[in-house]
Amino acid sequence: MFEFSVNPSVEELRVNQEDFIYQKMHWDAWQTPRNLFLALVGELGELSVDVASNEKYTNQVSDETDKDERLNTNSEDSNSKVEEVLSELADVLSYLICLAQECQVDIAIPDTLRKDESSSSFSEVSWNEIEVTAFYRTVRISEKTGIISDFLSICFSASRLADEFQWIIVDKNLKNLSRDKQNITDEKIKDLFCQVVVFASKYAYDLPKLLQEKNIKVAQKYCKSVGILTKDDVIKSRYSHLPLFHNNGSLSKDPDRYLLDKSVKTLQPSTDRLLCKLLESAGLVAESFQWKTDLDDALIVPAISDPMHAHLCNQLSTITNLIQTLAQLHSISLAESFNKKMYKNRGKYSLSNSKGDFVKYSEKAEDTSDHDLIKNDPEPIIKYPTATTLADATTAMQLFVDERKWNKYHKNPRNLTIALFGEIGEVIELFIEKRSSDFAARLGDELSDCLAYTVRLASCCDIDLTAAMFHHFP
């Protein structure tokens, strides 16, 4: 088994991160669980680019001898490609350690129960000892899987955390959760940590050493001669170079007719690569909203600048196009799947039970048969449009949310971004598990959920998604 050259305990890594963030950078105001989760999603998006584009340099090796030969290679090109993956993977580990600290999850111990004491410190377990434990816990990464499949397994583990951080009005930590709920969160964070450790070990990525080196580079990047760059400074500078996008009404003679089942021009890329592209765009959206304090949530949309608006138009259009491409690639009618899913959801989240309630995964959201979904609801159901276009889907989702008084949750793009990432994870799950006879129907359901949150996010950010699609994908 590969051993890491630098073998600190996980607690030592946490202390180093804490010193870097709180003492050197003074970024403590932004270290909330939702901020850190969005940042983690952003880094996974960046990592997806490097994994997909550098697969031939970072792919699995057949035995330890081959691995040693790869590590000792003199190819500058190969080394630089691997370094790109390593750099982003170190960022993923950094945010994961911070997230575990804020949620008081001891990722160094294998059991699922929390420690009795209220402490943010980790157990004194070495990195190489963690590696052994992680291999026993991790079943989705094996010697038979390739690097893209392994990366998608990490993303699926991360997406399972979306349930813990979505549909929150005011950002807060998880200290007040019930013990059962906290144990579920602990287990998900530990699972993700184990996936990252096994991934690093399998491909001989010396992460502890790299994380220490990365902190030095980040400190140099964000320090000015006059002081420290704040997170706000970083956000303001990120989108200054982007071209503006304005919907001037001249993008199409019939802008409402952008069909959900529009034929997508594609070179038939592999599903894995499409999923990586989907994660990339979702990560770029997450980076737009990640560094906010508790008081910023209500001010996010009014504060969206023109360059950031253009950036979101581009990414949400790309996400929509990728959803359409995945549906077309697997012979699925996106319009038909979306309409069926809307019908199911109207029964699953009936008006009598769901008005103003955001706890969707509860006894109020039980699955029912297609024939009995709506008939017992005492309140009248308004006429929903049969969605054949993006405009139809946008209208249907707005009516659905208005009826249930969920606007207070859907007006925050951070909620919708996290929910979208969670649904992308469910799409990934279908491709990493054994195919079932109802695969196409389930994929249609999950792609419909992704589309639903994409159009809601566009509406929330005052983006005409139809116009943006005609602009980016005419």
Side-chain angles (χ1 to χ4, degrees):
M1 183 179 293
F2 170 78
E3 290 191 359
F4 301 101
S5 62
V6 178
N7 192 25
S9 69
V10 186
E11 169 62 8
E12 288 175 317
L13 289 177
R14 185 199 66 80
V15 170
N16 291 339
Q17 287 296 103
E18 184 177 52
D19 178 66
F20 171 73
I21 291 166
Y22 292 93
Q23 303 302 322
K24 289 186 174 65
M25 305 306 293
H26 305 288
W27 283 351
D28 44 301
W30 290 276
Q31 298 299 298
T32 62
R34 283 220 298 172
N35 280 349
L36 293 166
F37 180 71
L38 284 166
L40 179 64
V41 172
E43 294 303 332
L44 288 172
E46 293 184 26
L47 182 57
S48 70
V49 180
D50 295 324
V51 168
S53 61
N54 302 328
E55 182 180 12
K56 67 178 180 179
Y57 298 105
T58 56
N59 212 346
Q60 72 177 85
V61 288
S62 57
D63 54 44
E64 293 300 319
T65 301
D66 291 341
K67 184 178 291 186
D68 290 339
E69 290 178 358
R70 177 169 64 81
L71 291 173
N72 295 324
T73 182
N74 293 321
S75 169
E76 293 184 3
D77 188 33
S78 174
N79 287 337
S80 65
K81 297 296 184 182
V82 172
E83 283 299 316
E84 291 175 4
V85 176
L86 286 171
S87 180
E88 300 303 339
L89 193 59
D91 286 337
V92 170
L93 176 62
S94 173
Y95 287 126
L96 183 54
I97 289 174
C98 292
L99 179 63
Q101 176 179 344
E102 289 300 318
C103 296
Q104 297 186 344
V105 178
D106 189 351
I107 53 178
I109 56 177
D111 59 275
T112 60
L113 299 179
R114 290 167 57 80
K115 298 184 299 181
D116 291 334
E117 67 272 15
S118 178
S119 172
S120 59
S121 62
F122 299 156
S123 299
E124 290 287 349
V125 182
S126 74
W127 189 264
N128 284 328
E129 289 174 303
I130 287 291
E131 178 190 10
V132 175
T133 303
F135 267 101
Y136 281 108
R137 286 176 58 100
T138 304
V139 297
R140 289 189 295 274
I141 295 179
S142 71
E143 288 301 322
K144 295 181 180 180
T145 51
I147 191 168
I148 293 184
S149 296
D150 293 340
F151 169 71
L152 292 176
S153 293
I154 291 177
C155 293
F156 169 65
S157 293
S159 72
R160 294 175 65 232
L161 277 167
D163 287 350
E164 316 306 319
F165 303 115
Q166 65 189 16
W167 312 131
I168 298 174
I169 300 179
V170 178
D171 200 0
K172 57 186 177 181
N173 62 27
L174 305 180
K175 294 178 182 178
N176 297 323
L177 289 179
S178 67
R179 177 58 62 89
D180 288 343
K181 181 72 170 176
Q182 184 65 66
N183 285 339
I184 293 173
T185 304
D186 290 6
E187 182 66 11
K188 291 178 179 179
I189 291 176
K190 289 178 182 179
D191 178 63
L192 176 56
F193 178 64
C194 287
Q195 296 281 340
V196 172
V197 172
V198 172
F199 184 88
S201 176
K202 177 178 176 180
Y203 298 103
Y205 295 158
D206 205 346
L207 269 188
K209 179 181 178 180
L210 191 71
L211 182 59
Q212 294 172 349
E213 296 173 348
K214 189 66 181 285
N215 282 346
I216 297 173
K217 294 179 181 179
V218 172
Q220 294 172 343
K221 179 179 180 180
Y222 290 125
C223 284
K224 291 179 176 178
S225 57
V226 295
I228 301 294
L229 267 175
T230 69
K231 292 292 187 185
D232 286 336
D233 293 328
V234 177
I235 291 172
K236 289 176 182 177
S237 64
R238 177 173 288 160
Y239 305 105
S240 59
H241 66 286
L242 295 172
L244 301 187
F245 163 68
H246 297 290
N247 176 22
N248 57 16
S250 61
L251 297 175
S252 170
K253 295 181 180 179
D254 191 5
D256 290 339
R257 301 307 301 170
Y258 200 95
L259 297 174
L260 292 179
D261 289 329
K262 182 178 184 292
S263 179
V264 180
K265 296 179 181 179
T266 174
L267 297 176
Q268 296 297 321
S270 69
T271 296
D272 283 353
R273 291 185 179 277
L274 287 172
L275 292 175
C276 285
K277 290 293 294 182
L278 191 58
L279 287 162
E280 176 191 357
S281 289
L284 289 169
V285 173
E287 286 183 341
S288 303
F289 304 119
Q290 63 192 26
W291 299 124
K292 302 293 180 183
T293 62
D294 287 354
L295 299 178
D296 289 333
D297 274 0
L299 304 174
I300 293 176
V301 174
I304 293 178
S305 63
D306 283 346
M308 185 184 288
H309 188 270
H311 169 74
L312 291 171
C313 282
N314 184 16
Q315 298 311 321
L316 293 179
S317 298
T318 299
I319 290 171
T320 304
N321 178 261
L322 289 167
I323 292 170
Q324 291 178 308
T325 304
L326 281 165
Q328 179 176 299
L329 192 60
H330 294 276
S331 304
I332 293 169
S333 167
L334 188 58
E336 181 179 343
S337 295
F338 180 82
N339 288 312
K340 285 183 177 179
K341 191 61 185 283
M342 285 297 299
Y343 185 74
K344 290 179 183 178
N345 283 342
R346 283 161 56 197
K348 188 176 182 180
Y349 309 116
S350 63
L351 295 185
S352 57
N353 285 334
S354 299
K355 278 197 171 180
D357 182 14
F358 75 99
V359 187
K360 300 203 302 180
Y361 303 100
S362 68
E363 68 279 1
K364 296 180 180 180
E366 296 179 351
D367 287 323
T368 45
S369 68
D370 288 351
H371 298 293
D372 297 325
L373 284 173
I374 300 174
K375 69 178 183 180
N376 294 323
D377 200 314
E379 301 184 46
I381 301 295
I382 64 172
K383 178 66 175 176
Y384 277 75
T386 298
T388 58
T389 68
L390 271 178
D392 294 337
T394 300
T395 300
M397 282 304 300
Q398 185 63 59
L399 291 173
F400 184 79
V401 171
D402 287 345
E403 279 187 319
R404 286 150 187 79
K405 301 187 185 302
W406 284 351
N407 280 299
K408 59 185 176 182
Y409 306 107
H410 281 237
K411 69 181 180 181
N412 188 334
R414 283 149 60 87
N415 285 345
L416 296 165
T417 300
I418 293 172
L420 174 60
F421 180 71
E423 296 301 336
I424 291 174
E426 294 191 24
V427 172
I428 291 172
E429 182 183 18
L430 293 176
F431 288 101
I432 62 178
E433 67 179 16
K434 187 176 180 179
R435 296 284 180 94
S436 59
S437 59
D438 60 346
F439 171 80
R442 293 172 62 196
L443 179 58
D445 272 3
E446 301 306 340
L447 291 176
S448 297
D449 286 339
C450 291
L451 178 66
Y453 285 123
T454 302
V455 299
R456 286 303 296 156
L457 186 52
S459 297
C460 175
C461 297
D462 196 24
I463 290 172
D464 184 340
L465 189 56
T466 296
M469 287 297 292
F470 272 112
H471 178 72
H472 293 288
F473 300 98

